[in-house]
Amino acid sequence: MRAFVYSSLPSRVVFRAGALDDLAAEIDRLGAHRALVLSTPEQRASADDVSKRLGARSVGVYDKAVMHVPIETAQAAREMAKSLNADCCVAIGGGSTIGLGKAIALTSDLPILAIPTTFAGSEMTPIYGITAEGQKKTGRDPRVLPKTVIYDPLLTMTLPANIAGPSGMNAVAHCVEALYAQDANPITSLMAEEGISALASSLPRAVSKPDNLDARAEALYGAWLAGACLGNVGMALHHKLCHTLGGSFNLPHAQTHTIILPHAVRYNRDAALVAMARIGRALARSDLPGASPAATLYDLAQKIGAPLALRDIGMKADSLDEAARLATQNPYYNPRPIEYAAIRQLLQDAWEGLRPG
Ligand code: NAD
């Protein structure tokens, strides 16, 4: 008999091209009146547009969000929210900006309305991360889950292909690991398979024809499903490797996910047969005739023009031993036991950019 635990996370999702027009009404629905708008410096213009749409409901813009939420940035944003007497945060951007909103919510309980503009999926999770003294600490707290998420595919149209593709592969990775998670459950697995399918079919079109709204919308739909998977079940080897490479070797987040994913799937191939069958079935929509899920994921990354080798994104060959050592310390659950020699080989293959056989 099948046994499982499934917790649904409470958030409201509004998904449609043009959904940003609902922003003021959604803030009213939250019962908020004084929004602090968050963005990266690069997305300041989008934040100003959001602030304008909110009119008197906006009390200011904080535009200093950066990758991995440095504690100093979090503290400055928390102070600004406090001094302006904000009663909610509106985060427009990718995982970095939404992560900053979460850092504010963690100590203030301010509700977050998230407007994601990448495919990273943070908006659907109660997971936060803050970096202090070079160490990123992550945790789960229901207070940081955005109360409302506005998915407007029009906002992803400006995402350049070299960010859109890897960001989408980051989402695929959440779905893949959800299928062999220790606490996998039938609902999350449905979402994961559908998420891979939506992303695999849309990413090549979203990247080759950046003005294809349908492709961007389908990728965003896949990203929503992927975020829901990440928020609901635990991740495994792939995410552990990416956290190690990002945290200790400062590699770029989405590109690292893109490169490692085929190799992590190859590693787990024989230990998660049902998950592999589902991943293979979902990837069939990519029209890439890969011999295995691992090879197809590699081909998908290649098709969208993403980097394929760790050596091309700044990883030094003489750091691979240390990376393997860190990644095998306190390992996450993984369907196949974590062995140093095999992980060292995986990292070597990923460093060279080999197609998993
Ligand atoms: P990002 O938020 O760092 O954005 C990358 C760059 O793209 C930024 O300069 C941003 O301003 C720009 N950008 C974003 N959307 C754009 C658009 N539509 N048009 C033009 N430029 C745009 O990248 P990301 O991959 O979304 O997020 C990565 C971060 O999110 C990492 O720190 C990662 O750890 C975190 N993350 C957290 C979770 C979680 O559940 N907590 C989930 C996924 C990712």
Side-chain angles (χ1 to χ4, degrees):
M1 196 188 85
R2 202 199 308 242
F4 62 89
V5 173
Y6 172 70
S7 308
S8 61
L9 297 173
S11 73
R12 174 177 164 84
V13 170
V14 180
F15 190 113
R16 77 161 200 283
L20 191 58
D21 292 346
D22 297 1
L23 175 60
E26 290 297 329
I27 289 288
D28 292 347
R29 206 170 196 281
L30 280 175
H33 307 280
R34 300 178 61 80
L36 175 63
V37 181
L38 308 173
S39 75
T40 59
E42 299 83 23
Q43 287 181 286
R44 173 75 199 211
S46 302
D48 285 339
D49 175 48
V50 159
S51 185
K52 207 167 131 206
R53 286 168 183 264
L54 288 171
R57 298 173 186 88
S58 166
V59 291
V61 173
Y62 183 85
D63 70 358
K64 298 197 172 42
V66 287
M67 189 87 93
H68 301 316
V69 195
I71 184 76
E72 299 76 17
T73 313
Q75 276 163 352
R78 285 168 179 164
E79 273 157 32
M80 185 167 176
K82 204 168 165 195
S83 68
L84 292 171
N85 203 15
D87 62 4
C88 77
C89 289
V90 174
I92 178 155
S96 298
T97 304
I98 294 166
L100 179 62
K102 289 176 169 183
I104 297 172
L106 190 63
T107 56
S108 67
D109 274 337
L110 290 193
I112 302 169
L113 185 151
I115 310 169
T117 61
T118 70
F119 305 131
S122 174
E123 65 282 353
M124 292 307 297
T125 84
I127 304 167
Y128 63 87
I130 298 179
T131 304
E133 291 166 9
Q135 288 272 346
K136 185 169 179 178
K137 294 224 168 79
T138 58
R140 280 181 182 255
D141 192 308
R143 285 177 302 170
V144 309
L145 178 75
K147 299 274 182 293
T148 304
V149 183
I150 293 182
Y151 283 106
D152 185 340
L154 288 170
L155 299 174
T156 69
M157 300 300 281
T158 50
L159 199 58
N162 65 342
I163 300 183
S167 180
M169 293 301 290
N170 184 192
V172 173
H174 305 332
C175 297
V176 162
E177 293 229 296
L179 283 165
Y180 53 65
Q182 188 170 28
D183 49 354
N185 62 72
I187 302 298
T188 309
S189 295
L190 281 175
M191 296 175 104
E193 193 174 333
E194 171 76 355
I196 297 170
S197 169
L199 288 156
S201 73
S202 60
L203 286 178
R205 287 179 290 130
V207 165
S208 66
K209 293 206 171 62
D211 59 347
N212 185 333
L213 179 61
D214 282 345
R216 296 264 166 164
E218 193 168 5
L220 195 60
Y221 166 67
W224 164 55
L225 293 167
C229 291
L230 178 67
N232 214 280
V233 294
M235 296 284 119
L237 170 68
H238 168 80
H239 282 73
K240 172 75 180 182
L241 285 169
C242 293
H243 288 167
T244 303
L245 293 167
S248 302
F249 302 93
N250 208 23
L251 299 192
H253 178 81
Q255 288 83 351
T256 306
H257 273 268
T258 309
I259 294 167
I260 292 293
L261 185 61
H263 301 280
V265 167
R266 169 69 186 83
Y267 187 94
N268 284 329
R269 186 186 67 181
D270 299 331
L273 295 176
V274 174
M276 292 301 153
R278 296 187 77 164
I279 296 165
R281 192 163 66 192
L283 285 171
R285 279 193 66 200
S286 67
D287 283 335
L288 292 165
S292 67
T296 309
L297 286 165
Y298 182 93
D299 295 345
L300 182 58
Q302 189 165 43
K303 188 164 181 182
I304 61 175
L308 297 168
L310 290 178
R311 66 176 162 202
D312 294 340
I313 61 165
M315 186 71 182
K316 301 268 179 292
D318 58 11
S319 299
L320 292 175
D321 287 345
E322 174 70 353
R325 195 184 62 74
L326 291 172
T328 49
Q329 273 177 355
N330 310 315
Y332 296 6
Y333 161 81
N334 192 60
R336 175 177 161 191
I338 305 292
E339 295 149 13
Y340 176 86
I343 295 298
R344 178 65 182 79
Q345 185 61 50
L346 181 164
L347 288 171
Q348 184 69 35
D349 293 348
W351 187 81
E352 291 177 25
L354 301 182
R355 183 175 188 260

